[in-house]
Amino acid sequence: MKSDNVTKGPDRAPHRSLFYAAGFTEEELKKPLIGVISAYSEIIPGHTHLDKIAQAVKAGVYAAGGTPVLLPAIGVCDGIAMGHEGMRYSLPSRELIADSVETLANGHCFDGLVLIPNCDKIVPGMVMGALRVNVPSIVISGGPMLAGHVNGDHSCLSDMFVAVGAFKGGKINEQQLTEIEEACCPSCGSCSGMYTANSMNCLCEAIGIALPGNGCIPAVYSARTALAKHAGMKVMDLVKNDVKPRDIINLDSLKNAITVDMALGCSTNSALHLPAIAHEAGVKLDLHLFNEISEKTPNLCHLAPAGHTFMEQLNRAGGVAAVMKELCDAGLLNPDTPTVTGKTTGENVKNAFNLDTSIIRPIDNPYSRTGGLAFLFGNIAKKGCVVKRSAVLPEMLKHTCKARVFHGEEAAVAAIYGGDIKPGDVVVILYEGPKGGPGMREMLVPTSALVGMGLDSTVALITDGRFSGASAGAAIGHVSPEAAMGGEIGLIRDGDIIDIDMDAYSIHAHVSEEEFAARRAEQVMPEPNVKSGWLSRYARLVAGADEGAVLK
């Protein structure tokens, strides 16, 4: 056992004395040591209950004959960080989380890990760290928030951001804004639509690193606590059988995850996190692979922001397992990939059943014949960019527009709220990429402003930054190479005509290579937004969005 390095033999007497100082007993030190890494905090609504989840995990580990050791992890609430300088820290925090998992696990010689994230960057960060350490590991997330209720309709956080735009546009009054504010987020848990947190929690099921139910069982349900106990028990089987993350996460399981991503209509941020997870597993994910899988994978779900259904409804309809069963029956998933249950993917879902075809469309009646995400390529995105196609209005799938260029989110938001953006424009936001931001801020405020002011059917948005999973509309992000890396997106000027064809996976500016060369010769890069602290180090080391914004 790896823990023998800190618990066995006369040479490790000093180490044991420190365990005793922490309250462990001799009997406990004779059992496998399991690191229970919890991102509990009082600032992230998706994490405020993770102390209860951690206690359930510990009970499961004890019941199965192990010794659990509770450890902390950080996290950033993307909603609270949205729209200001704090958002620069969100995506980079993924690397800190991966580093901390690696540090805690290797520094203390744990035999296994139970990872307890719930929101956005915390989920992939923990999985990335587990792949580096490569000891038996399992993910048990905190589960989704319940949907809110406003005027008899379901609501969620994205409705809140849209409501701000509606208020600015004079469509609702301050009292109505307050009513939505107080009702849209009614419980703990990850925000209730198919946003980044829930996307990654669902994809942990699809990739095989979490138990069935991980993605959809609501945070407040007792079934979530029971699942946490089972995760604690199951990690002991993984330790006994020496099943490690790299035994589970490989190209085949990643292809399964991308397929489920397309069927569910997951967040565009999955296009950052799956390549980053693959990187830690020693697998290269080319963005063209996403389009290849999208071409043959129908979109079966329209959860918010693409539609008006929510995670609790997906759970009642059969959850991720029911979606995977539809895909398996159609031959779109590899059923033989291993999972943390000890069974294959096909065995896990063979008894799943679609209980509500209005929530999970059958394969022969999808929302669209292709997947929820599309990766566009062209002369201003030579290494690609991404859009959540399933959340785009039909009239915006193919669109010709005139560029309005802004350096940074704030200038764009001011123009939108100031009424300066007109139908037929495309808002182009530059220097918000992984390096230029730095940190690749989410653009939920400008996208919600466009929706709230009724411009989402006539105005697109393109950025080298990224979007919240709650963003809707013709929001095209992750443009690579980014402006700060010399990408052509940084050479776009006001008035340039841009053609967007999401069905053809194309984005093209009416600018010749000769004109781009002339503009490049005159280009003056702006001063870095951040010149000190660890974000300046991040900016020096980070790769492009097309590579998952990993550090190199």
Side-chain angles (χ1 to χ4, degrees), residues 147-157 159-160 163 172 175-186 310:
H149 294 272
V150 176
N151 298 324
D153 295 325
H154 283 101
S155 67
C156 58
L157 182 65
D159 294 326
M160 187 69 252
I172 62 173
Q175 180 181 346
Q176 291 170 305
L177 183 69
T178 300
E179 288 173 357
I180 301 171
E181 173 185 335
E182 293 176 347
C184 67
C185 296
F310 299 88

Side-chain angles (χ1 to χ4, degrees), residues 270-304:
S270 65
L272 288 172
H273 301 321
L274 288 177
I277 288 169
H279 175 76
E280 298 295 349
V283 176
K284 171 69 174 175
L285 278 189
D286 189 294
L287 294 185
H288 289 90
L289 176 62
F290 284 79
N291 282 346
E292 291 172 17
I293 291 174
S294 177
E295 275 296 302
K296 59 185 180 182
T297 306
N299 177 226
L300 305 181
C301 299
H302 260 195
L303 287 93

Side-chain angles (χ1 to χ4, degrees), residues 479-492:
V479 173
S480 299
E482 63 174 289
M485 289 183 176
E488 284 75 9
I489 186 72
L491 303 175
I492 294 296

Side-chain angles (χ1 to χ4, degrees), residues 91 267-272 287 291 373-378 380-389 392 426-434 440-444 446-447 460-469 471-483 489 500 502 506-507 544-549:
L91 179 61
S267 164
T268 52
N269 282 311
S270 65
L272 288 172
L287 294 185
N291 282 346
L373 299 184
F375 292 79
L376 316 183
F377 296 85
I380 58 171
K382 292 181 177 179
K383 293 186 178 180
C385 55
V386 64
V387 62
K388 191 170 186 175
R389 183 168 52 185
V392 177
V426 54
V427 176
V428 181
I429 305 178
L430 305 178
Y431 299 102
E432 289 286 7
M440 208 177 185
R441 290 192 293 177
E442 289 185 344
M443 304 285 116
L444 179 56
T447 57
L461 190 152
I462 301 171
T463 180
D464 53 9
R466 63 194 178 92
F467 299 111
S468 164
S471 293
I476 300 166
H478 306 193
V479 173
S480 299
E482 63 174 289
I489 186 72
I500 300 166
M502 298 180 194
S506 172
I507 185 166
D546 57 299
E547 297 183 76

Side-chain angles (χ1 to χ4, degrees), residues 163-431:
V164 173
F167 174 73
K168 296 272 190 179
K171 297 182 178 182
I172 62 173
N173 60 35
E174 189 170 355
Q175 180 181 346
Q176 291 170 305
L177 183 69
T178 300
E179 288 173 357
I180 301 171
E181 173 185 335
E182 293 176 347
C184 67
C185 296
S187 75
C188 63
S190 47
C191 295
S192 54
M194 189 53 77
Y195 311 142
T196 306
N198 290 325
S199 294
M200 295 311 301
N201 287 330
C202 289
L203 296 183
C204 282
E205 276 191 57
I207 212 168
I209 198 70
L211 296 176
N214 182 74
C216 295
I217 297 173
V220 296
Y221 283 16
S222 297
R224 174 61 60 175
T225 304
L227 190 70
K229 290 179 180 178
H230 282 125
M233 297 175 194
K234 185 55 66 176
V235 76
M236 297 308 298
D237 288 340
L238 298 174
V239 170
K240 178 181 178 182
N241 296 314
D242 197 30
V243 178
K244 300 172 182 175
R246 291 184 197 170
D247 297 324
I248 292 170
I249 299 178
N250 53 40
L251 182 58
D252 288 335
S253 62
L254 286 161
K255 286 180 177 179
N256 278 354
I258 295 170
T259 302
V260 174
D261 187 335
M262 295 300 172
L264 285 173
C266 289
S267 164
T268 52
N269 282 311
S270 65
L272 288 172
H273 301 321
L274 288 177
I277 288 169
H279 175 76
E280 298 295 349
V283 176
K284 171 69 174 175
L285 278 189
D286 189 294
L287 294 185
H288 289 90
L289 176 62
F290 284 79
N291 282 346
E292 291 172 17
I293 291 174
S294 177
E295 275 296 302
K296 59 185 180 182
T297 306
N299 177 226
L300 305 181
C301 299
H302 260 195
L303 287 93
H308 298 286
T309 56
F310 299 88
M311 297 303 294
E312 63 197 87
Q313 293 165 290
L314 179 60
N315 182 60
R316 287 199 297 269
V320 177
V323 175
M324 293 177 69
K325 181 63 160 56
E326 293 276 357
L327 296 171
C328 267
D329 287 349
L332 296 173
L333 286 184
N334 183 336
D336 299 322
T337 55
T339 74
V340 291
T341 66
K343 300 177 181 178
T344 65
T345 292
E347 290 170 334
N348 282 344
V349 304
K350 69 177 181 180
N351 295 320
F353 190 73
N354 185 349
L355 301 172
D356 189 338
T357 56
S358 69
I359 305 297
I360 304 171
R361 290 274 188 96
I363 285 284
D364 57 2
N365 183 33
Y367 284 100
S368 63
R369 67 169 186 82
T370 53
L373 299 184
F375 292 79
L376 316 183
F377 296 85
N379 67 344
I380 58 171
K382 292 181 177 179
K383 293 186 178 180
C385 55
V386 64
V387 62
K388 191 170 186 175
R389 183 168 52 185
S390 60
V392 177
L393 294 172
E395 58 266 36
M396 293 297 289
L397 291 171
K398 187 174 182 178
H399 190 61
T400 296
C401 38
K402 183 172 66 175
R404 293 291 311 280
V405 181
F406 302 91
H407 284 203
E409 174 188 15
E410 289 81 2
V413 171
I416 296 168
Y417 283 150
D420 294 336
I421 303 302
K422 307 300 182 184
D425 287 344
V426 54
V427 176
V428 181
I429 305 178
L430 305 178
Y431 299 102

